C-alpha cells in the first residue's frame, strides 16, 4: 500500500512538473519585447520594424507597424519582382494593408502590376498632384482603396505612427523624379525620412517649405544615392544618424555617380548602409530607441 501511495505521489509530481514546463514553454513562445536590443528575433519585437530591401535594380521598403499592419513603400522594378515576392513570402505575408507608390518611375513602381495580381492590397497611397501620371503607368484596379495625399497631410497609420506628407507641391517640376512623394514617419520621438527619387531642386523647395520638419534620425537616401541629390544644405538640415542607400549596383558601378554623396554623408557623420553591400537593412524602433540590423535577405 505504501509503495502504491509513493508511486501515486511521484506520478502526480511528474504531471505537475510537466505541466509547468509546458506552460513555461508556451509563455516563452508568446513573450513580446519592447526593447529593440533585447532580441534578435523580429517576431518577438512589438515596435516598428522597417526593412530596406536589397533588390537587384529598384527600391522597396517593407514596414511592419506596431499594431501588426504592413506597408510597402514602392515595389521595385519589374525585373525585381521575383526577388521581392520571395522576400514577402519568406516573411509569410499573404496581403498588405498599405502600398505607397511614390512616383511613376520604373525603379519605384515597375513591380506594382505583379504585386497587384498576386497579393491583396487594402489601400494604395499615392501623391494627389501626380495621380494622373501614375494611373497611366500603374494598373490601379477598382478593388483597391485609393488614398491620394497632398503636401501638409498627416495620416495616422497606427496609435504611435504618423505619416507626414512633405512633397510634392505646386507648381510641379518638369522632372518627374522631383515630383516624387516625400514623407516622414513619426514614431514616438523618432523620425524616418523617405525622399524617393527627388533631386536637388526638390530639396531646395523642401528646405524652403518644411525646413523645420526635415530633421530625422534615419534617412532613406534619394535616387539610389546618385549625386543629383543629397546636397550638403539638405543633409545638414536633416542631420541623419543613419542613412540607407537602396541600390543593387556594386561599389565599382556606383563609384562615379555616388562617390560625392558618400563623401557628403561622411561629412554629416551619418552611419551609411548600402543594400548592395550590406544586404537588407532592418530598423527596430520602440519610439525612443532604435537598432540597426543587417540581414542577408
Amino acid at each position: 500500500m505504501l509503495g502504491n501511495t509513493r508511486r501515486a505521489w511521484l506520478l502526480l509530481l511528474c504531471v505537475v512538473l510537466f505541466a509547468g514546463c509546458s506552460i513555461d514553454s508556451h509563455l516563452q513562445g508568446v513573450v513580446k519585447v519592447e526593447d529593440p536590443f533585447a532580441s534578435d528575433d523580429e517576431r518577438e519585437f512589438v515596435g516598428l520594424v522597417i526593412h530596406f530591401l536589397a533588390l537587384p535594380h529598384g527600391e522597396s521598403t517593407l514596414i511592419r507597424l506596431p499594431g501588426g499592419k504592413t506597408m510597402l513603400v514602392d515595389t521595385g522594378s519589374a525585373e525585381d519582382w521575383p526577388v521581392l515576392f520571395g522576400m514577402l513570402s519568406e516573411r509569410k505575408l499573404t496581403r498588405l494593408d498599405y502600398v505607397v507608390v511614390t512616383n511613376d518611375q520604373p525603379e519605384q513602381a515597375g513591380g506594382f502590376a505583379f504585386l497587384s495580381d498576386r497579393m491583396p492590397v487594402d489601400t494604395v497611397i499615392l501623391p494627389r498632384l501626380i495621380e494622373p501620371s501614375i494611373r497611366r503607368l500603374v494598373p490601379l484596379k477598382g478593388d483597391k482603396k485609393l488614398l491620394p495625399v497632398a503636401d501638409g497631410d498627416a495620416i495616422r497609420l497606427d496609435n504611435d505612427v504618423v505619416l507626414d506628407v512633405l512633397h510634392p507641391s505646386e507648381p510641379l517640376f518638369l522632372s518627374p523624379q522631383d515630383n516624387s512623394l516625400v514623407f516622414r514617419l513619426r514614431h514616438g520621438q523618432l523620425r524616418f525620412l523617405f525622399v524617393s527619387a527627388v533631386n536637388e531642386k526638390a530639396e531646395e523647395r523642401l528646405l524652403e517649405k518644411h525646413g523645420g520638419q526635415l530633421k530625422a534620425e534615419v534617412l532613406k537616401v534619394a535616387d539610389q544615392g546618385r549625386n543629383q541629390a543629397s546636397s550638403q544644405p539638405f543633409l545638414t538640415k536633416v542631420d541623419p544618424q543613419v542613412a540607407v542607400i537602396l541600390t543593387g549596383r556594386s561599389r565599382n558601378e556606383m563609384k562615379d555617380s555616388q562617390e560625392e554623396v558618400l563623401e557628403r554623408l561622411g561629412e554629416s557623420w551619418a552611419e551609411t548602409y548600402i543594400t548592395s553591400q550590406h544586404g537588407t537593412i532592418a530598423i527596430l524602433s520602440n519610439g525612443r530607441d532604435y537598432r540597426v540590423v543587417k540581414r542577408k535577405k
Side-chain angles (χ1 to χ4, degrees):
M1 177 68 70
L2 184 59
N4 290 338
T5 302
R6 285 179 177 173
R7 282 195 294 272
W9 278 107
L10 286 173
L11 179 61
L12 179 61
L13 179 61
C14 289
V15 169
V16 170
L17 288 174
F18 179 77
C21 291
S22 299
I23 292 172
D24 288 344
S25 300
H26 175 69
L27 288 176
Q28 289 174 4
V30 298
V31 164
K32 299 295 183 180
V33 296
E34 296 182 357
D35 182 355
F37 296 93
S39 175
D40 289 328
D41 190 343
E42 296 159 12
R43 294 170 296 181
E44 298 175 355
F45 183 62
V46 296
L48 179 72
V49 181
I50 302 176
H51 290 100
F52 296 98
L53 301 176
L55 298 181
H57 304 284
E59 298 186 345
S60 186
T61 302
L62 176 65
I63 299 172
R64 191 198 74 195
L65 299 168
K69 289 186 175 182
T70 52
M71 181 167 74
L72 191 69
V73 181
D74 291 326
T75 59
S77 69
E79 294 84 357
D80 289 324
W81 169 246
V83 177
L84 177 59
F85 184 68
M87 290 177 169
L88 298 177
S89 300
E90 181 186 4
R91 291 165 175 82
K92 300 185 178 0
L93 291 176
T94 57
R95 62 179 297 277
L96 292 164
D97 296 286
Y98 302 99
V99 170
V100 181
V101 181
T102 63
N103 62 38
D104 59 2
Q105 299 302 292
E107 292 84 1
Q108 283 78 36
F112 185 89
F114 300 95
L115 176 74
S116 180
D117 284 343
R118 291 161 178 80
M119 187 170 290
V121 175
D122 182 53
T123 302
V124 178
I125 299 174
L126 69 167
R128 180 179 293 127
L129 288 179
I130 61 170
E131 180 180 349
S133 65
I134 291 177
R135 280 181 171 275
R136 283 195 293 270
L137 296 172
V138 176
L140 297 173
K141 297 181 180 179
D143 61 336
K144 293 177 176 51
K145 177 183 174 183
L146 296 185
L147 180 57
V149 296
D151 177 21
D153 287 347
I155 312 299
R156 184 167 293 278
L157 301 172
D158 198 278
N159 288 336
D160 298 321
V161 181
V162 176
L163 185 155
D164 297 314
V165 181
L166 306 178
H167 192 74
S169 59
E170 293 182 313
L172 291 174
F173 293 99
L174 294 177
S175 165
Q177 289 91 340
D178 276 324
N179 296 319
S180 299
L181 177 65
V182 175
F183 66 91
R184 179 183 67 171
L185 282 186
R186 285 184 283 132
H187 180 216
Q189 302 169 15
L190 301 178
R191 294 144 299 184
F192 307 85
L193 186 62
F194 292 78
V195 292
S196 187
V198 297
N199 292 332
E200 191 169 347
K201 288 183 179 180
E203 290 179 350
E204 291 172 357
R205 184 177 294 181
L206 283 163
L207 288 169
E208 292 173 3
K209 296 193 66 176
H210 299 291
Q213 294 179 277
L214 295 178
K215 185 173 176 59
E217 282 71 29
V218 178
L219 169 68
K220 197 292 291 182
V221 176
D223 199 22
Q224 299 190 338
R226 294 182 177 92
N227 60 13
Q228 292 89 350
S230 304
S231 64
Q232 196 60 60
F234 184 78
L235 292 176
T236 298
K237 203 67 175 179
V238 177
D239 191 24
Q241 298 170 3
V242 171
V244 182
I245 298 176
L246 298 178
T247 181
R249 294 185 295 165
S250 68
R251 185 66 181 269
N252 288 334
E253 291 175 305
M254 73 180 201
K255 185 173 181 180
D256 293 337
S257 64
Q258 296 173 321
E259 200 66 31
E260 294 179 21
V261 171
L262 293 174
E263 185 177 333
R264 291 197 291 269
L265 287 168
E267 292 172 354
S268 301
W269 298 97
E271 186 176 0
T272 302
Y273 297 89
I274 306 171
T275 56
S276 62
Q277 297 179 30
H278 303 108
T280 291
I281 304 300
I283 307 282
L284 281 62
S285 162
N286 64 6
R288 300 177 304 278
D289 301 305
Y290 69 92
R291 176 186 180 192
V292 180
V293 182
K294 290 186 284 188
R295 300 294 187 200
K296 291 182 179 180
K297 297 182 181 181

